[in-house]
Amino acid sequence: MVESPETAGHALVREHTVYECVMGSRAFGLATEDSDTDRRGVFVAPTPLFWRFDKPPTHVDGPEAEQFSWELERFCELALRANPNVLECLHSPLVTRLDATGRELLALRSAFLSRRAHQSFAGYAISQRKKLDADLRTHGAPRWKHAMHLLRLLTSARD
């Protein structure tokens, strides 16, 4: 039986995750009763998977609800571009899974910080602010989830 790409991706996450953390409101003490638990991780696809015509996935959604994982190479590419989600992942205070490779990755987290982070975080903060402005125009009040994203983003950028 041939495994579906989704099932194969879920197996990669289950069997080859080197780092996993909780992000979002739960990681930063901003959760409410209705908050979900956002899990992010990094997996290392086995080398033979790169020898095929169809390469391993660069990311996998799942297998659990609110879980998203990047393949290590893609994760590092995004980190070098100062992607706010990836940098936040590297600095999460709630690490739920970590092996030797994951410890190496965390030891390198300062190597991913550059002047690009200012531009990247500022752009994301501006987009969150625009969402708040749109909330005010459309609903007459801010959606607090957008406000919390903005505050968390600015706190992460500062740190």
Side-chain angles (χ1 to χ4, degrees):
M1 186 168 110
V2 176
E3 216 174 8
S4 74
E6 182 176 326
T7 303
H10 291 174
L12 283 170
V13 170
R14 278 194 288 278
E15 298 166 20
H16 300 284
T17 292
V18 298
Y19 173 72
E20 184 182 77
C21 66
V22 173
M23 288 183 37
S25 59
R26 295 214 180 267
F28 294 95
L30 303 171
T32 66
E33 290 178 13
D34 299 328
S35 295
D36 51 15
T37 301
D38 299 315
R39 296 188 186 283
R40 300 295 178 264
V42 179
F43 65 92
V44 177
T47 303
L49 294 182
F50 289 94
W51 299 338
R52 304 177 331 187
F53 286 116
D54 56 333
K55 303 298 180 227
T58 58
H59 61 275
V60 174
D61 200 1
E64 304 300 324
E66 306 301 327
Q67 183 178 14
F68 186 90
S69 299
W70 295 273
E71 200 283 323
L72 179 62
E73 180 180 19
R74 178 66 175 152
F75 184 85
C76 290
E77 287 173 8
L78 293 170
L80 287 168
R81 292 183 192 157
N83 178 288
N85 290 315
V86 168
L87 293 180
E88 182 181 335
C89 180
L90 277 172
H91 294 272
S92 173
L94 293 177
V95 176
T96 55
R97 192 167 167 186
L98 187 65
D99 71 3
T101 303
R103 280 190 286 281
E104 285 184 54
L105 180 63
L106 288 183
L108 293 171
R109 56 184 164 190
S110 65
F112 295 115
L113 298 178
S114 69
R115 291 186 179 155
R116 253 187 173 172
H118 177 269
Q119 179 183 1
S120 177
F121 276 81
Y124 191 54
I126 289 168
S127 74
Q128 290 298 313
R129 175 57 197 254
K130 287 179 181 177
K131 287 181 181 181
L132 283 171
D133 291 342
D135 290 344
L136 288 172
R137 283 191 308 276
T138 307
H139 306 291
R143 289 192 182 173
W144 294 113
K145 185 171 186 173
H146 292 156
M148 296 306 263
H149 280 304
L150 178 58
L151 290 173
R152 197 179 77 238
L153 175 73
L154 294 173
T155 302
S156 294
R158 179 201 67 207
D159 294 343

